Amino acid sequence: MPVCLSTANLIMFVVIACCATFVEAPRDILSPLWLELGNDGMPSHALSLVTYMFVHIHPVHLVFNLLWLLIFGICRDPRIISGKSLCLIYLAGGIAGAVAYIMIPDSGAGSRPLVGASAAVLSVVTAVSLLCPRKRINLPALCHIRLLYLGLAVIGLHLLNMKAGGFPAPHVAGIATGVVYAGWVRFAVLRRHSTDTSCVVTSPAEASASLNSSDIEAKLLNSGYMSLNSEERAMIINNCAESTRPSAM
């Protein structure tokens, strides 16, 4: 799913570049894609609430957004955040950023059109960092860093960009969307654990004997973490604990 979202952004960037090069009046064709407000303070085109998050004008803007989307999208734990959930987080963060751009004048509404996937990507970065905080990633010069720390660094860079003339409200809305999603998932898991007493796992060995890990992973990828029962969730948690335990050197 992160590759599909990145491909959509790349295709849109190529289309915009071609229009700007070969079309006499590219703004007439491209204006419905980015989020621009009319005299009434409402979007000139309703679909731009979604399409703007796939539009990038500057290649540097595109590269950094796709870099974070791919890193956090690929390195997430699919047993916790499925591909469908990742797409939902992306779209929800982008729409929240659009609403913030419309509702808060300080975001630049009415002066500059809103483009870019920053709000959507920040939503993904925040949600993955909070739901998979101990997951590690190997990157040059980052020394096996945890996703939580890398996510905090990415969010910090965007907050600094706000002071340099960026759109503050959409960025904050994207971060808030990721926080809300992560909080909702954790609350739902705790609530189901407290109310579901039909299955009780006494030890990891008993769980492993009665469950097939490949079947559980397939169920996670198709339906998400919330579709698992308490026994299956216990096995996932045990496996995650084993995978994050440091090995002896």
Side-chain angles (χ1 to χ4, degrees):
M1 188 56 68
V3 175
C4 294
L5 292 171
S6 300
T7 301
N9 279 278
L10 282 173
I11 292 175
M12 187 68 75
F13 181 78
V14 172
V15 170
I16 292 173
C18 292
C19 288
T21 303
F22 300 106
V23 178
E24 293 184 359
R27 183 179 179 85
D28 296 337
I29 299 176
L30 300 177
S31 59
L33 298 178
W34 56 60
L35 182 56
E36 193 170 17
L37 303 183
N39 296 329
D40 57 353
M42 298 303 293
S44 303
H45 302 86
L47 288 179
S48 63
L49 291 170
V50 176
T51 57
Y52 92 92
M53 67 184 80
F54 296 94
V55 175
H56 294 81
I57 304 300
H58 300 290
V60 175
H61 190 199
L62 172 69
V63 168
F64 276 100
N65 276 337
L66 295 191
L67 176 66
W68 306 132
L69 178 60
L70 287 172
I71 288 177
F72 285 86
I74 294 175
C75 295
R76 78 190 192 282
D77 192 335
R79 299 172 297 181
I80 299 175
I81 303 178
S82 65
K84 293 180 181 178
S85 298
L86 184 73
C87 183
L88 175 63
I89 298 169
Y90 181 93
L91 294 175
I95 293 174
V99 173
Y101 170 81
I102 296 169
M103 298 298 295
I104 302 176
D106 291 341
S107 66
S111 59
R112 290 179 293 164
L114 181 63
V115 296
S118 294
V121 170
L122 280 174
S123 181
V124 171
V125 169
T126 305
V128 173
S129 299
L130 294 177
L131 291 175
C132 310
R134 296 185 178 182
K135 192 74 182 293
R136 294 180 181 271
I137 175 175
N138 284 311
L139 285 177
L142 291 182
C143 300
H144 205 53
I145 190 172
R146 287 185 178 181
L147 285 179
L148 176 61
Y149 301 146
L150 182 60
L152 292 175
V154 173
I155 293 172
L157 289 174
H158 280 82
L159 292 177
L160 291 175
N161 181 58
M162 295 179 194
K163 296 182 179 181
F167 289 104
H171 288 185
V172 173
I175 296 170
T177 302
V179 172
V180 169
Y181 180 85
W184 176 80
V185 169
R186 290 186 178 276
F187 173 78
V189 171
L190 291 175
R191 184 177 180 181
R192 290 188 62 177
H193 271 295
S194 63
T195 57
D196 186 4
T197 58
S198 59
C199 296
V200 177
V201 179
T202 58
S203 68
E206 293 180 6
S208 301
S210 59
L211 296 174
N212 189 314
S213 60
S214 61
D215 293 339
I216 296 177
E217 291 182 3
K219 188 175 180 180
L220 277 166
L221 293 175
N222 293 328
S223 305
Y225 185 76
M226 299 306 299
S227 65
L228 303 180
N229 58 38
S230 60
E231 188 178 358
E232 293 168 335
R233 290 195 300 270
M235 185 174 180
I236 290 297
I237 293 172
N238 290 330
N239 289 341
C240 289
E242 291 294 332
S243 63
T244 57
R245 184 175 300 167
S247 57
M249 298 298 292

